[in-house]
Amino acid sequence: MPEDSAWNEMLLKKRVTYHIELEGKLFQIENVPARVNVETDEKHFSPETVARLQRAVWERCRPVRTIETLVYEFESIS
C-alpha cells in the first residue's frame, strides 16, 4: 500500500484542456477534470470522463465557441 500512496501523492486534481483530432478536425474541450502527475504532466482521466469526452466528439455536441488556428508543416519551417 505505501507504493500506491506515494503514487497518489504525485497526482494533483486539476482542470485541463483536452485536444483530439478526428477525421481531420481538431476538437478542444476545456475544464476537463483530471489527475495530473506533477513530475511528468501526464494526465489521468476517470472512465466516466473519457466516456463524456468521446460522446462530445462523436456526437458533435454544440460547441461554446469556435476558434481559428494556424497549421504549419514542420519541414517548411526554416
Side-chain angles (χ1 to χ4, degrees):
M1 189 83 159
E3 189 174 315
D4 289 338
S5 177
W7 173 253
N8 285 331
E9 288 177 15
M10 294 173 40
L11 300 177
L12 293 179
K13 290 182 181 180
K14 288 185 167 185
R15 296 283 175 158
V16 301
T17 299
Y18 182 84
H19 298 93
I20 185 169
E21 185 178 340
L22 180 67
E23 298 173 354
K25 294 184 179 182
L26 182 63
F27 297 84
Q28 175 174 303
I29 303 172
E30 299 175 325
N31 297 310
V32 179
R35 292 179 302 136
V36 181
N37 184 305
V38 297
E39 292 181 6
T40 65
D41 203 39
E42 182 179 10
K43 295 159 184 68
H44 301 268
F45 303 100
S46 72
E48 295 81 12
T49 297
V50 171
R52 286 180 63 182
L53 290 168
Q54 291 174 340
R55 193 168 48 252
V57 174
W58 290 340
E59 295 177 5
R60 302 287 203 259
C61 293
R62 178 181 219 136
V64 294
R65 69 179 187 280
T66 301
I67 58 175
E68 184 177 328
T69 188
L70 302 173
V71 178
Y72 299 93
E73 180 68 38
F74 182 77
E75 295 299 321
S76 67
I77 301 170
S78 52

